[in-house]
Amino acid sequence: MDVVYPPGLSPAALDRALKAFGRVVGPDAVFATEEDRQDYSDKFAIDDAAHQPLGGVAPASAAEVQAIVRVANEHRVPIWPISRGKNLGYGATAPRLSGTVVVDMSRMKKIEVDVENGTALLEPGVGFYDLYDHLQANKIPLWLSVPGNSWGSVIGNALDRGVGYTPYGENTTKLCGMEVVLPDGDIVRTGMGALAGSPTWQLYRYGFGPAWDQMFVQSNFGIVTKAGMWLMPEPEQVRGLDVEVDRIEDLAPLIDAIGALRREGVLQQSPTIGNWLRAANIVSTRQEWTDKKGALSDDVITAIRKKFGLGWWGVSLRLYGRESVTNATFPILEQAMRALKPLSMKPTLWRRGDPIPPTQGGWMGVPMTFPMQNANWYGGRGGHIGFSPILPQSGKLALEQFRRAYARYQEFGMDPQTSFAFGERHLINVNAVLLDKDDPAFMKRVDPFLRALIADAKAHGYGEYRTHLNYMDAVAGTYDFNDHALRRLNEKVKNALDPAGILAPGKSGIWPAAYAKERGK
Amino acid sequence: MDVVYPPGLSPAALDRALKAFGRVVGPDAVFATEEDRQDYSDKFAIDDAAHQPLGGVAPASAAEVQAIVRVANEHRVPIWPISRGKNLGYGATAPRLSGTVVVDMSRMKKIEVDVENGTALLEPGVGFYDLYDHLQANKIPLWLSVPGNSWGSVIGNALDRGVGYTPYGENTTKLCGMEVVLPDGDIVRTGMGALAGSPTWQLYRYGFGPAWDQMFVQSNFGIVTKAGMWLMPEPEQVRGLDVEVDRIEDLAPLIDAIGALRREGVLQQSPTIGNWLRAANIVSTRQEWTDKKGALSDDVITAIRKKFGLGWWGVSLRLYGRESVTNATFPILEQAMRALKPLSMKPTLWRRGDPIPPTQGGWMGVPMTFPMQNANWYGGRGGHIGFSPILPQSGKLALEQFRRAYARYQEFGMDPQTSFAFGERHLINVNAVLLDKDDPAFMKRVDPFLRALIADAKAHGYGEYRTHLNYMDAVAGTYDFNDHALRRLNEKVKNALDPAGILAPGKSGIWPAAYAKERGK
């Protein structure tokens, strides 16, 4: 593939910049061959030509990140930081603007755990497996809250507002204190970390005055070189119920029942209701069921559900804590679920010291990767791409949203992997749109399908919490109150902090003045 | 008292500005007489001449706030927004910079409650009593988390990171979505509110891209005209223990025991350990015990404790939720406290439908003002001023901090009202330094005393989470990592959003370029 340069940058200028990066990190940590560019591209892209990285540079320290940022300013080279680049379905390692150099933080893997206080100070290269191994090796009784695919960075997940399965599941809410390299190369510590030598950096997130952590989340205002995360003390017991409900419309009462328990605090975990395909596509592939293209027929769906004993929807609810307390709470959960007359209801129990069954690891802080099997649903070159609007915890509204989306899935001949992840007061309707990259006709339908979903959601007041590079401008465009006042605010701050516009231009639809013409391209 | 004008503004220019404000809000909502200035001054000030407001202007709508901001820009008049101005001990209604015009939001009192989802959208003039009355009148089973003095604004409390007594006690963490007038008069909605007409504005706080709510907390980056707050569903039961421990050093094991339960999640409320004076000074005055000036003797302290049955420290622990669950949790709490061999331990119980005893209201969302009685400790013109460093949840470190501070209290002849408020992983060591404004010699000692406390804390890595106008520069100065990188970041954003520097110059130690010379004055 031809090398794509960023707007306004000549090959010669770029060459000088790469050499300067090499002087910072050593030539072995600059990656700019054709193969390197392939490595940093998005394997799940709809359009392989879009979002082409120019190469990568991998710093080993915050000081090197500062130097990289200064080089980028001097040479006017756009850079795109990634933690470990496992933001699959949302762009992974690839940058928004073709020609951008990826700043690959995966070499920065320092871990400091404060056992007593249940916190960790992590560099962005630390993956869930790294941290899990560290906790195991040191017999530290703290648990992670892992996402469905745990290859990625702990910090990176929190910085993209990813979710895990335990009561600490909304990882972004467990961030506490950051070290950030700003676009001008300055380095700042947020919260109590701004007080040099403070023992409370990972304990209190706000510090004095405005608090900045969430400003560095999903943004292009700085490169996070360290962040604090809270970890859950290992509970005495985990009791739960795996519940399946039969019909599409059973989604509504299921959401209403769980939402009420969640808001009340009876349930403190963030459970996810998933449909039959979310369960089936990690243990089977499409050709086992049909060789017909287009939407799956109800007969096929019924056969799949029958084979695996699945409802249209299933959910795993878990209670964490002391034995006596979870035992007292369990009947409340059980009664609420029994009242729904579910298809099936299976209790689970784990006590401290019990081995953790592999299929249960996700609820007990054990990293996993098997859900990634879904990318093989069509066989061949697969993938998935996210569509994830935020909804109220209303069964009625969520069912309506699903029915609208399902009609679109059928109209465009797509198979619906969909789920509803509970926060304390919201739902994230995560759709992993499964790709068949070997079928060009199919792939042509994906973009109009996703744009239809975004427009349908917007028409009902719903916006996405996270999106693929392809849709960042479209989604940012739906946040339009007062003629896009939020965008004006974002870009005013962007231009103040990053006058040359070198840091991740276009991320989350935020374009610096220097690249303003690239919006929407 | 002579009128103090802001730097660079003539009386004539000011007069034109006040007339322009009058055209916005009507002349009856501009307050600029000598009496008005008195009304907006800080009654608890150490130095009555400092922080002199020039007057006030009271808008009735966000549109009027926008117009006020535009007038302020046009006439270069500094303005200082207050919600209801009850930030007592931290400056109340008064501005940092003398000559600033107070923007008094207390007329903006709209309340919208979403009963099902447990949220409220509030204007800043809504006080805890207003919201409580609204919930009562409409029989809405949602609870507030009230601070010790509940005269103030619900939003204002959250915007200053004040704390209440229930599991929703860290009010700033319950903010969800804001409407903000920026210093240039633009109006922005944060989180999902940026998506016009979204039903999820009060349900999910982050939206898409960087999240701004905490940037408008304790800052001078915008005027919040509306904000969402989460409210706690009324629990079935509240069970608790009131615990008193005998000796100063019993603080350490008490903190360690409660901290562990808090981090584990057995205890979900944010309890406060207070000393004997915190309990005694709302039911008695100093002259009942002694007529000697200077530090209270141990004999006097013993007499006070004996009279009211107080330990050196006391704490009220509360469990909220279903009957069966709180009943199962209670023995864990009781056992942990019994192991400390406390002076006394008194169980409490409230069930849904029971009347709420007046002394218990704070733990059950009922506003109260009786703790304000502490301002009368010395009789005559009293008051208090805050000193509130953040500490780890370590008994050893907290006791050391207290002993250092107590030695300062004795050195400067002050009576120690002190407390330790638990967050999930931090302590706020709230000191309400009680004032005797009728004793000039006493009042002279207050400033060096507070500066000594700030310096002592800083030497151990502790910084304040909130401070009086007088100490904003000093406290901001302790947040000094990388030669004050946080200040550089704050002020870069400040100057980008507020080039004329009209909005609350000096708030939290953030000075716009236009008033940079005022820092430290």
Side-chain angles (χ1 to χ4, degrees):
Chain A
M1 200 174 279
D2 284 347
V3 182
V4 185
Y5 294 93
L9 207 71
S10 68
L14 198 274
D15 193 54
R16 286 193 295 275
L18 289 175
K19 286 209 174 81
F21 285 138
R23 286 191 291 274
V24 172
V25 295
D28 291 353
V30 175
F31 306 94
T33 67
E34 168 68 22
E35 199 184 341
D36 293 330
R37 283 189 287 275
Q38 276 299 317
D39 279 353
Y40 284 117
S41 71
D42 176 16
K43 311 306 176 298
F44 290 181
I46 303 176
D47 173 3
D48 287 334
H51 316 301
Q52 279 299 309
L54 194 91
V57 49
S61 67
E64 289 188 4
V65 174
Q66 290 182 278
I68 286 170
V69 163
R70 290 187 184 118
V71 168
N73 270 289
E74 187 189 337
H75 295 269
R76 294 290 193 265
V77 184
I79 55 176
W80 181 269
I82 60 168
S83 301
R84 295 175 49 82
K86 304 299 182 191
N87 195 16
L88 299 167
Y90 297 105
T93 43
R96 169 66 184 85
L97 178 70
S98 284
T100 299
V101 174
V102 174
V103 179
D104 179 346
M105 310 285 280
S106 59
R107 291 171 69 199
M108 292 179 59
K109 295 179 81 76
K110 281 207 198 77
I111 298 173
E112 288 174 56
V113 176
D114 175 345
V115 180
E116 186 70 16
N117 286 304
T119 69
L121 181 62
L122 304 173
E123 289 187 339
V126 176
F128 287 95
Y129 281 100
D130 298 321
L131 183 54
Y132 180 76
D133 289 348
H134 178 92
L135 297 175
Q136 292 291 106
N138 294 283
K139 300 193 193 311
I140 297 171
L142 296 171
W143 281 12
L144 307 179
S145 192
V146 301
N149 287 294
S150 320
W151 292 329
S153 157
V154 181
I155 292 307
N157 183 268
L159 290 177
D160 264 307
R161 302 206 179 96
V163 292
Y165 290 78
T166 75
Y168 279 46
E170 209 180 340
N171 283 315
T172 204
T173 68
K174 302 301 169 193
L175 286 166
C176 186
M178 294 180 179
E179 179 183 87
V180 185
V181 172
L182 297 176
D184 63 358
D186 204 357
I187 189 162
V188 67
R189 288 186 178 172
T190 66
M192 300 308 297
L195 197 145
S198 175
T200 60
W201 189 12
Q202 271 60 66
L203 304 180
Y204 180 69
R205 25 174 88 79
Y206 305 115
F208 176 69
W212 294 102
D213 286 4
Q214 280 294 327
M215 204 183 87
F216 296 110
V217 172
Q218 288 191 351
S219 86
N220 50 13
F221 299 151
I223 301 180
V224 177
T225 49
K226 263 188 192 137
M229 287 289 298
W230 289 357
L231 305 178
M232 186 175 80
E234 181 189 71
E236 220 172 65
Q237 176 169 287
V238 181
R239 274 194 83 158
L241 269 182
D242 291 342
V243 181
E244 299 283 331
V245 297
D246 190 33
R247 304 166 308 167
I248 290 186
E249 59 267 34
D250 293 338
L251 176 67
L254 185 60
I255 284 176
D256 288 334
I258 295 173
L261 294 173
R262 186 72 186 82
R263 295 191 296 275
E264 185 188 343
V266 167
L267 195 66
Q268 302 194 333
Q269 165 227 20
S270 293
T272 294
I273 299 173
N275 75 335
W276 50 271
L277 182 55
R278 185 164 176 269
N281 65 17
I282 53 176
V283 285
S284 71
T285 57
R286 196 177 198 273
Q287 60 257 39
E288 294 172 39
W289 306 105
T290 181
D291 54 7
K292 280 200 191 122
K293 301 215 174 203
L296 293 173
S297 70
D298 284 344
D299 287 349
V300 171
I301 294 173
T302 303
I304 294 174
R305 287 181 47 195
K306 197 172 162 195
K307 170 74 182 290
F308 298 115
L310 298 168
W312 231 96
W313 306 101
V315 66
S316 293
L317 306 171
R318 295 292 181 273
L319 303 167
Y320 298 75
R322 298 286 182 108
E323 275 197 42
S324 56
V325 178
T326 46
N327 287 346
T329 314
F330 186 75
I332 300 170
L333 201 62
E334 197 179 29
Q335 198 182 348
M337 291 300 106
R338 193 180 303 283
L340 302 175
K341 302 196 186 0
L343 195 62
S344 69
M345 208 163 80
K346 212 168 56 186
T348 69
L349 176 63
W350 174 90
R351 278 185 239 176
R352 190 181 288 165
D354 288 354
I356 294 177
T359 55
Q360 294 292 308
W363 291 279
M364 295 178 215
V366 186
M368 58 181 167
T369 51
F370 64 83
M372 179 51 54
Q373 186 62 24
N374 72 346
N376 197 40
W377 175 242
Y378 288 98
R381 292 191 309 142
H384 60 78
I385 188 162
F387 169 70
S388 309
I390 299 285
L391 310 180
Q393 285 177 354
S394 153
K396 177 174 177 290
L397 296 176
L399 181 60
E400 286 171 6
Q401 167 64 23
F402 175 69
R403 287 200 193 277
R404 275 191 302 272
Y406 193 34
R408 292 290 196 189
Y409 273 101
Q410 292 175 314
E411 173 190 348
F412 285 89
M414 307 268 163
D415 298 343
Q417 177 184 331
T418 192
S419 65
F420 297 85
F422 285 80
E424 197 171 337
R425 276 176 171 76
H426 69 275
L427 291 173
I428 309 180
N429 175 212
V430 179
N431 292 261
V433 176
L434 301 168
L435 303 181
D436 183 0
K437 293 189 69 170
D438 293 328
D439 179 345
F442 178 104
M443 290 307 292
K444 252 195 200 153
R445 297 195 302 271
V446 179
D447 182 70
F449 170 59
L450 283 164
R451 291 190 191 273
L453 290 178
I454 292 169
D456 290 351
K458 166 67 179 163
H460 291 83
Y462 307 140
E464 285 191 80
Y465 90 112
R466 188 180 186 187
T467 196
H468 187 274
L469 301 167
N470 261 0
Y471 302 103
M472 285 181 172
D473 289 330
V475 170
T478 65
Y479 288 78
D480 57 359
F481 172 77
N482 187 22
D483 191 22
H484 302 277
L486 182 64
R487 176 189 293 163
R488 285 194 297 279
L489 171 61
N490 286 341
E491 296 186 350
K492 195 169 271 196
V493 172
K494 176 66 176 170
N495 288 321
L497 299 182
D498 185 9
I502 50 102
L503 187 58
K507 168 103 178 173
S508 297
I510 302 170
W511 290 98
Y515 295 100
K517 286 182 185 160
E518 304 298 317
R519 193 194 315 274
K521 282 194 197 164
Chain B
M1 200 174 281
D2 283 351
V3 182
V4 185
Y5 294 94
L9 207 71
S10 67
L14 198 274
D15 193 56
R16 286 194 294 275
L18 289 175
K19 286 210 174 82
F21 285 138
R23 285 191 292 275
V24 173
V25 296
D28 291 351
V30 175
F31 306 93
T33 65
E34 167 67 21
E35 197 185 343
D36 293 332
R37 282 189 288 275
Q38 276 299 320
D39 278 353
Y40 283 117
S41 70
D42 175 18
K43 310 307 176 296
F44 289 1
I46 303 176
D47 173 3
D48 286 335
H51 316 303
Q52 278 301 310
L54 194 91
V57 49
S61 68
E64 288 188 6
V65 174
Q66 290 182 279
I68 286 170
V69 163
R70 291 188 183 116
V71 168
N73 270 292
E74 189 189 337
H75 295 267
R76 293 290 193 265
V77 184
I79 55 176
W80 181 269
I82 60 169
S83 301
R84 294 174 51 80
K86 304 298 182 190
N87 195 16
L88 299 169
Y90 298 104
T93 41
R96 169 65 186 82
L97 178 71
S98 284
T100 299
V101 174
V102 174
V103 179
D104 179 345
M105 310 286 279
S106 60
R107 290 172 68 200
M108 292 178 59
K109 296 178 81 76
K110 281 206 199 80
I111 297 173
E112 289 174 54
V113 176
D114 176 345
V115 181
E116 187 70 15
N117 287 303
T119 69
L121 181 61
L122 304 174
E123 289 186 339
V126 176
F128 287 95
Y129 281 100
D130 298 320
L131 183 52
Y132 180 76
D133 289 348
H134 178 91
L135 297 174
Q136 292 290 107
N138 295 283
K139 298 190 195 311
I140 297 171
L142 296 171
W143 281 11
L144 307 180
S145 192
V146 300
N149 287 294
S150 319
W151 291 331
S153 156
V154 181
I155 292 307
N157 184 268
L159 289 177
D160 264 306
R161 301 206 179 96
V163 294
Y165 290 77
T166 75
Y168 279 46
E170 210 178 340
N171 283 317
T172 202
T173 68
K174 303 302 168 193
L175 285 166
C176 188
M178 293 179 179
E179 179 182 88
V180 184
V181 172
L182 297 176
D184 64 356
D186 204 357
I187 190 163
V188 67
R189 289 186 177 173
T190 66
M192 302 306 298
L195 197 145
S198 175
T200 61
W201 188 13
Q202 270 61 66
L203 304 180
Y204 180 69
R205 25 173 89 75
Y206 304 117
F208 176 69
W212 295 102
D213 285 2
Q214 280 294 326
M215 204 183 86
F216 296 110
V217 171
Q218 287 190 351
S219 85
N220 49 15
F221 299 151
I223 301 180
V224 177
T225 48
K226 262 188 193 139
M229 286 290 297
W230 289 358
L231 304 178
M232 186 174 83
E234 181 189 71
E236 218 173 66
Q237 177 168 286
V238 180
R239 274 195 82 159
L241 269 182
D242 291 342
V243 180
E244 298 284 329
V245 296
D246 190 32
R247 301 166 310 166
I248 289 187
E249 58 268 34
D250 293 339
L251 176 68
L254 185 60
I255 283 177
D256 288 336
I258 294 172
L261 294 172
R262 187 70 187 83
R263 294 192 296 275
E264 186 189 342
V266 168
L267 193 66
Q268 303 194 333
Q269 164 227 21
S270 292
T272 294
I273 299 174
N275 74 335
W276 50 270
L277 182 54
R278 186 165 176 268
N281 66 18
I282 54 178
V283 285
S284 70
T285 58
R286 198 177 197 271
Q287 60 258 38
E288 294 172 38
W289 306 104
T290 182
D291 53 9
K292 281 201 192 120
K293 301 215 172 202
L296 292 173
S297 69
D298 284 344
D299 287 351
V300 170
I301 295 173
T302 303
I304 294 174
R305 288 181 46 195
K306 196 173 160 192
K307 168 76 183 285
F308 299 116
L310 297 168
W312 231 97
W313 306 101
V315 65
S316 294
L317 306 171
R318 295 292 183 272
L319 302 167
Y320 298 76
R322 297 287 181 111
E323 274 197 40
S324 56
V325 178
T326 45
N327 287 345
T329 313
F330 186 75
I332 300 170
L333 200 62
E334 198 180 27
Q335 198 181 347
M337 291 300 106
R338 194 179 302 284
L340 302 176
K341 302 199 189 351
L343 193 65
S344 69
M345 210 164 80
K346 212 169 56 186
T348 68
L349 176 65
W350 173 91
R351 279 185 237 174
R352 189 180 290 164
D354 288 353
I356 294 177
T359 56
Q360 294 291 307
W363 292 278
M364 295 177 215
V366 185
M368 56 181 167
T369 51
F370 63 85
M372 179 50 54
Q373 185 63 24
N374 72 346
N376 197 39
W377 176 240
Y378 288 98
R381 291 192 308 144
H384 61 77
I385 187 162
F387 169 69
S388 310
I390 299 286
L391 309 180
Q393 284 178 355
S394 153
K396 178 174 175 291
L397 296 176
L399 181 60
E400 286 170 6
Q401 167 64 23
F402 175 69
R403 286 199 192 278
R404 274 190 304 273
Y406 192 33
R408 291 292 195 189
Y409 272 103
Q410 293 176 311
E411 174 190 347
F412 285 88
M414 307 268 162
D415 298 343
Q417 177 183 330
T418 191
S419 64
F420 296 85
F422 285 80
E424 196 171 337
R425 276 175 172 77
H426 70 275
L427 291 174
I428 309 180
N429 174 211
V430 179
N431 292 261
V433 175
L434 301 168
L435 304 180
D436 182 1
K437 293 189 70 170
D438 291 327
D439 179 346
F442 178 104
M443 291 306 293
K444 251 193 198 153
R445 296 194 304 271
V446 179
D447 182 69
F449 169 60
L450 283 164
R451 292 192 189 272
L453 289 177
I454 292 170
D456 290 350
K458 165 68 179 162
H460 290 82
Y462 306 139
E464 285 190 81
Y465 90 112
R466 188 180 188 187
T467 198
H468 187 274
L469 301 167
N470 261 0
Y471 302 102
M472 286 182 171
D473 290 329
V475 170
T478 66
Y479 288 78
D480 57 359
F481 172 77
N482 186 22
D483 192 23
H484 303 277
L486 182 64
R487 176 189 294 163
R488 286 194 295 280
L489 171 60
N490 286 341
E491 295 185 352
K492 197 170 271 194
V493 173
K494 175 65 178 170
N495 288 322
L497 299 182
D498 185 10
I502 50 101
L503 189 58
K507 167 105 180 171
S508 297
I510 303 169
W511 290 97
Y515 294 100
K517 287 181 186 162
E518 304 298 318
R519 192 194 314 275
K521 282 191 196 167

